[in-house]
Amino acid sequence: MASSSFTEGEVYQESFNSRLYLETYYSSPLGCPEEGNYLGFLLTNLFNAFSSGSVKGQKLIDIGTGPCLHQLLVACEWFEEIIVSDYTDRNRLEIEKWIRNDPDCFDWSAIGKFICEIEGNRVSWTEKQEKLRQRIKRVLKCDVTSSNPLHPVCVEPADCLMTSLCLEAASKDQETYYNAVKNISTLLKPGGSLIMNVMLNQTFFRVGDRKFSYLAFSKEFLTKVLNENDYIIQKLEILHGPDRATNTHSDYESIVFLVAQKQI
Ligand code: SAH
């Protein structure tokens, strides 16, 4: 059943404060302290997935990037062509500002240096920034509820599709979620990898005093949707979240990092 308090895309467009979101959740590698170590968990798993050699190719599309670059600061060592996408103008602008090295762009250095450390300091933070700036080829409007999420742009399917905390924010019910997975899958080559970062049993998250809805479901629902959309789950890691009683930012129970292969 659709939640009466579902946050529509237009609400994101009007009132999702990109900068406050970054300051709240992405100021440091520790993330937002009330939320537990989700960022360390995610970034380490992401590095392990890429360095294992099972996720490879030339082109990667990130769906619902928001104003965020942390995942791409890892991915840029492995993919030469990166497309980022989001529903709101403000989020895309925030990314474009960073690409241009605008004096007012968000400072990713704390998280960036942490990523360099995870990678064994083979690449410096200065080199990494430069690499990502060159490798992001396009910043596109995206709507995961549309059969071509990047409409009106058509792109060739990618070798890797990555999405974090987006499909659940964009889906009012389980059927919409199933269709969102189906829609984004058109952007992935058969045999390609889908990387997802998903909160389980979460109903909301906050940005300042604004509350945004989040579709709550179990791990079983998530794996069922992926299997029904012809994915084989190759890796699934779970981290339990903090005590809900002490977390005012969201009510997630646990976080899942997964890699799935689209069947050929
Ligand atoms: N990927 C980022 C941002 C997640 S916040 C992270 O991991 O932190 C949720 C994002 O979903 C927002 O950036 C919002 O603009 C986007 N979103 C909301 N509705 C959407 C839709 N219908 N299609 C695509 N993105 C949507």
Side-chain angles (χ1 to χ4, degrees), residues 24 53 59 72 76 79 85 107 109 113-114 117 134 153 158 181 183 185 194 216 228 254 261:
T24 308
K59 176 173 167 182
L72 302 164
C76 71
F79 287 84
S85 67
D107 180 5
S109 62
K113 287 174 187 167
F114 174 75
E117 267 171 46
Q134 282 171 10
V153 176
V181 171
N183 294 339
S185 297
L194 170 67
E228 286 175 5
S254 51
Q261 187 182 34

Side-chain angles (χ1 to χ4, degrees), residues 246-261:
T246 58
N247 186 2
T248 56
H249 285 82
S250 81
D251 60 349
Y252 80 95
E253 184 183 272
S254 51
I255 179 165
V256 166
F257 172 88
L258 70 82
V259 181
Q261 187 182 34

Side-chain angles (χ1 to χ4, degrees), residues 110-147:
I111 288 177
K113 287 174 187 167
F114 174 75
I115 294 170
C116 292
E117 267 171 46
I118 294 178
E119 295 171 345
N121 290 311
R122 280 174 304 214
V123 176
S124 72
W125 168 229
T126 312
E127 288 167 302
K128 185 181 277 299
Q129 289 177 75
E130 191 50 37
K131 194 176 280 170
L132 182 57
R133 288 194 167 103
Q134 282 171 10
R135 294 193 160 181
I136 298 179
K137 308 295 183 195
R138 304 182 85 170
V139 180
L140 298 175
K141 161 88 185 174
C142 160
D143 182 355
V144 298
T145 65
S146 160
S147 56

Side-chain angles (χ1 to χ4, degrees), residues 6-10 12-13 16 18 21-22 25-26 38 42 62-71 85-89 91 108 141-146 149 162-171 184 197 205 207 212 214:
F6 171 66
T7 313
E8 302 281 349
E10 282 318 304
Y12 276 89
Q13 169 66 13
F16 184 80
S18 316
Y21 182 72
L22 290 174
Y25 296 103
Y26 297 104
Y38 62 92
L42 165 63
D62 191 73
I63 297 290
T65 309
C68 297
L69 292 168
H70 57 292
Q71 301 210 102
S85 67
D86 197 72
Y87 192 89
T88 87
D89 297 343
N91 283 343
W108 284 98
K141 161 88 185 174
C142 160
D143 182 355
V144 298
T145 65
S146 160
M162 195 158 69
T163 187
S164 168
L165 314 179
C166 166
L167 269 47
E168 308 76 36
S171 302
I184 66 164
N197 179 40
F205 67 99
V207 184
F212 293 83
Y214 195 92

Side-chain angles (χ1 to χ4, degrees), residues 33-251:
E34 264 190 24
E35 288 262 285
N37 187 25
Y38 62 92
L39 207 45
F41 168 80
L42 165 63
L43 296 172
T44 307
N45 275 306
L46 203 49
F47 170 70
N48 290 341
F50 289 134
S51 58
S52 74
S54 64
V55 180
K56 41 183 187 275
Q58 203 244 331
K59 176 173 167 182
L60 176 145
I61 302 177
D62 191 73
I63 297 290
T65 309
C68 297
L69 292 168
H70 57 292
Q71 301 210 102
L72 302 164
L73 287 166
V74 184
C76 71
E77 302 299 335
W78 310 89
F79 287 84
E80 280 169 29
E81 187 189 340
I82 295 175
I83 296 178
V84 303
S85 67
D86 197 72
Y87 192 89
T88 87
D89 297 343
R90 227 180 276 121
N91 283 343
R92 296 193 307 280
L93 204 66
E94 200 60 48
I95 300 240
E96 283 161 355
K97 268 203 281 190
W98 186 84
I99 296 173
R100 297 196 293 272
N101 209 357
D102 188 296
D104 177 43
C105 70
F106 186 71
D107 180 5
W108 284 98
S109 62
I111 288 177
K113 287 174 187 167
F114 174 75
I115 294 170
C116 292
E117 267 171 46
I118 294 178
E119 295 171 345
N121 290 311
R122 280 174 304 214
V123 176
S124 72
W125 168 229
T126 312
E127 288 167 302
K128 185 181 277 299
Q129 289 177 75
E130 191 50 37
K131 194 176 280 170
L132 182 57
R133 288 194 167 103
Q134 282 171 10
R135 294 193 160 181
I136 298 179
K137 308 295 183 195
R138 304 182 85 170
V139 180
L140 298 175
K141 161 88 185 174
C142 160
D143 182 355
V144 298
T145 65
S146 160
S147 56
N148 171 16
L150 302 178
H151 176 81
V153 176
C154 287
V155 301
E156 289 293 314
D159 305 291
C160 180
L161 202 58
M162 195 158 69
T163 187
S164 168
L165 314 179
C166 166
L167 269 47
E168 308 76 36
S171 302
K172 66 177 185 300
D173 55 25
Q174 295 195 343
E175 191 187 344
T176 314
Y177 191 82
Y178 177 92
N179 287 325
V181 171
K182 199 185 185 77
N183 294 339
I184 66 164
S185 297
T186 60
L187 302 169
L188 182 63
K189 283 180 191 167
S193 302
L194 170 67
I195 298 182
M196 291 181 97
N197 179 40
V198 179
M199 300 298 195
L200 294 180
N201 295 319
Q202 173 173 320
T203 65
F204 76 92
F205 67 99
R206 270 183 216 282
V207 184
D209 53 13
R210 276 221 73 118
K211 219 171 164 181
F212 293 83
S213 66
Y214 195 92
L215 186 68
F217 52 69
S218 64
K219 182 181 99 177
E220 287 66 34
F221 170 75
L222 177 62
T223 55
K224 183 166 168 277
V225 169
L226 291 173
N227 291 332
E228 286 175 5
N229 274 288
D230 293 332
Y231 285 98
I232 298 166
I233 296 172
Q234 296 175 313
K235 186 183 174 74
L236 193 151
E237 301 287 339
I238 294 196
L239 176 76
H240 286 283
D243 184 353
R244 279 173 160 163
T246 58
N247 186 2
T248 56
H249 285 82
S250 81
D251 60 349

